Amino acid sequence: NVHVRESGGDSVQAGGSLRLSCVASGVTVAMAWFRQVPGKEREGVASIDVLGPTTYEDSVKGRFSISRSDDKIKMFLQMNDLKPEDTGMYYCAAGSTWSPQLRARDYAYWGQGTQVTVSS
């Protein structure tokens, strides 16, 4: 099993920035960020393959940037120009295969989440 742990969530004003971090106990092919608000399904935000390809949910394109460390066990999400609709619990996920589709079922390993709150 791979354990993942995320950090970096905070409360910010709209237009602000945050950087989320995730550290895994081992290298996996795919890592991703998902977010969830109460009463809604978990939605994919961004994902990254160990070789570099990335994908983003449409509403975050141009504002968020996903990256991995050289040792491939850390993942980051730089979030700029945050909007109130970005509010949610952000989860780090890791899996053995990557696809450009942000599907929660593709990821076997999940963190506990870190809360991001954006106020207007």
Side-chain angles (χ1 to χ4, degrees):
N1 284 348
V2 175
H3 299 282
V4 295
R5 185 178 74 250
E6 58 278 90
S7 62
D10 206 344
S11 296
V12 297
Q13 297 278 340
S17 298
L18 282 175
R19 181 176 168 87
L20 303 183
S21 299
C22 173
V23 59
S25 61
V27 178
T28 58
V29 171
M31 296 186 78
W33 291 98
F34 287 77
R35 65 187 177 193
Q36 189 170 24
V37 295
K40 292 190 176 182
E41 290 189 3
R42 193 170 295 189
E43 67 169 354
V45 176
S47 69
I48 184 166
D49 179 83
V50 67
L51 297 179
T54 60
T55 192
Y56 294 91
E57 193 268 328
D58 285 346
S59 71
V60 307
K61 287 179 181 176
R63 300 188 297 121
F64 291 11
S65 178
I66 191 170
S67 61
R68 290 176 80 159
S69 58
D70 288 344
D71 61 11
K72 307 301 182 185
I73 64 171
K74 300 182 187 71
M75 176 181 63
F76 309 98
L77 186 68
Q78 179 65 43
M79 305 188 293
N80 298 326
D81 189 24
L82 282 160
K83 305 176 185 299
E85 51 264 40
D86 295 318
T87 293
M89 185 69 78
Y90 281 68
Y91 296 92
C92 172
S96 59
T97 61
W98 182 83
S99 87
Q101 296 172 295
L102 289 161
R103 298 177 301 205
R105 67 174 185 264
D106 290 340
Y107 295 87
Y109 310 108
W110 292 83
Q112 296 297 307
T114 187
Q115 178 68 36
V116 172
T117 302
V118 184
S119 56
S120 58

